[in-house]
Amino acid sequence: MSQYNYKMALSDFQAARQRAALEGVIARVSGRSNDLLSYDDVARRLKLRAQVERGIKTIPVDAIVGSVGRCTEFTRTFLPRNLNDQERWARVKSVFMDPEGASLPPIEVYQVGDVYFVLDGNHRVSI
């Protein structure tokens, strides 16, 4: 990981946190939620039980509406809410920025109808 990429990623994280704060203000003023949906809440309400492995496929990022266990850490648009995520977010972003860097694995999601909930890869979706 190059030091330059890491510093740029830290700057990008700060900008994303500022956008998250702005989205929070807009959500409060408009009365609309800025929260990711909780998979556990949705699964409980819909009484979901079965899980089927579907393999690797491309999914639309706009169809990702929630998270499994981390729904409070990101906004509805997957902007980071917690300053504590800065280092991890920047490390992951640095890998994306480096054309010769290590590749990252695909994210893991649960699909419910036409929408998806991130099981693993919340930071990758955020970036």
Side-chain angles (χ1 to χ4, degrees):
M1 165 173 55
S2 91
Q3 196 63 9
Y4 175 76
N5 285 351
Y6 184 73
K7 286 182 181 180
M8 292 297 297
L10 287 173
S11 176
D12 290 347
F13 176 83
Q14 293 302 326
R17 290 252 308 128
Q18 288 175 347
R19 285 193 313 273
L22 180 60
E23 283 184 7
V25 170
I26 292 169
R28 280 190 293 281
V29 169
S30 69
R32 301 178 100 190
S33 176
N34 191 29
D35 298 333
L36 283 174
L37 297 177
S38 165
Y39 173 79
D40 295 329
D41 290 346
V42 170
R44 188 173 30 259
R45 288 183 181 159
L46 296 177
K47 297 181 172 117
L48 300 178
R49 289 190 177 84
Q51 295 178 3
V52 178
E53 176 71 34
R54 303 256 187 223
I56 296 176
K57 67 178 187 174
T58 301
I59 63 171
V61 175
D62 291 344
I64 301 173
V65 298
S67 180
V68 179
R70 300 188 79 174
C71 58
T72 62
E73 297 176 30
F74 298 90
T75 66
R76 177 65 67 103
T77 58
F78 269 91
L79 293 172
R81 285 186 161 152
N82 300 322
L83 186 57
N84 297 342
D85 280 340
Q86 177 175 301
E87 186 177 319
R88 180 157 184 221
W89 196 97
R91 280 195 323 263
V92 173
K93 173 94 184 218
S94 295
V95 172
F96 273 115
M97 294 170 69
D98 187 356
E100 296 179 17
S103 64
L104 294 169
I107 64 169
E108 294 180 30
V109 297
Y110 289 151
Q111 182 177 1
V112 178
D114 294 331
V115 298
Y116 300 87
F117 295 80
V118 179
L119 176 64
D120 180 53
N122 290 282
H123 290 83
R124 285 171 273 164
V125 172
S126 177
I127 292 162

